[in-house]
Amino acid sequence: MVSVSSRVQALAVSAFCVLVAVLAGVLVDGRLDRHWILRGMTLALALCCAALLAGDQSRRLRRIIVAVGLAMFGVVFPVTTTTWASPPEIDFALQVASDAAAAAQKASRSAVTIDDVKAAATARGGAVGSPVDARGADAYPLILRANPALGRPWACLSFTGLDAKVRPC
């Protein structure tokens, strides 16, 4: 059996963690808030665990802790945040954001209006409200509901020019 040094193991695990983090980041829509901060923190923690792997491995408990940390921060967290990134209400909000931005561009405007969002949500069978008054909407952020009859689940949508930000409310 060939023995690989702990430094080579740490380098390989670090490269794998960076690859998983980049692939998971590419798979998530960039309009979703806060995902890059979370992804950066989990990557940093995974790299810290890989650095511990390169250090002294004399204790079995330390090896177990490092292995669990690498599995959680290097694989489990990035993969689960990718799969949980777009539940149906978030997917609906992203579709409405795309439709509203396309309507604004078609009208040669540099910003998306609330009426654009209302029209896009209505065309997709949803409803629009605001955090202050769930029935009306006159300012961002807007609450989007995929099913107008249900109060929840919903997603919050805001625009800066043509750039949309979608987040859970």
Side-chain angles (χ1 to χ4, degrees), residues 31 88-104 112-128 140 142-146 155 157 159 164 166:
R31 297 174 288 184
E89 66 273 10
I90 300 296
D91 287 339
F92 175 76
L94 290 170
Q95 291 168 348
V96 167
S98 296
D99 293 349
V112 176
T113 66
I114 292 172
D115 291 331
D116 292 333
V117 176
K118 286 181 182 179
T122 304
R124 291 198 172 266
V128 177
Y140 292 117
L142 300 174
I143 293 175
L144 298 177
R145 294 185 306 259
L157 171 67
F159 275 93
V166 177

Side-chain angles (χ1 to χ4, degrees), residues 17 23 30 33 35 39 58-59 61 65 70 81 84 87 91 99-100 103 105 108 124 134 141 153 166:
C17 290
L23 287 176
D33 275 350
H35 279 273
R39 290 179 188 289
S58 59
R59 295 187 180 185
L61 180 62
I65 292 171
L70 281 169
T81 56
W84 294 342
D91 287 339
D99 293 349
Q105 286 177 338
S108 299
R124 291 198 172 266
V166 177

Side-chain angles (χ1 to χ4, degrees), residues 4-20 46-47 50-51 53-54 70 74-75:
V4 179
S5 76
S6 61
R7 294 190 196 285
V8 173
Q9 288 176 348
L11 183 61
V13 169
S14 298
F16 178 73
C17 290
V18 170
L19 179 68
V20 168
L47 293 177
L53 183 66
L70 281 169
V75 178

Side-chain angles (χ1 to χ4, degrees), residues 143-159:
I143 293 175
L144 298 177
R145 294 185 306 259
N147 185 346
L150 300 176
R152 285 217 180 243
W154 58 45
C156 284
L157 171 67
S158 61
F159 275 93

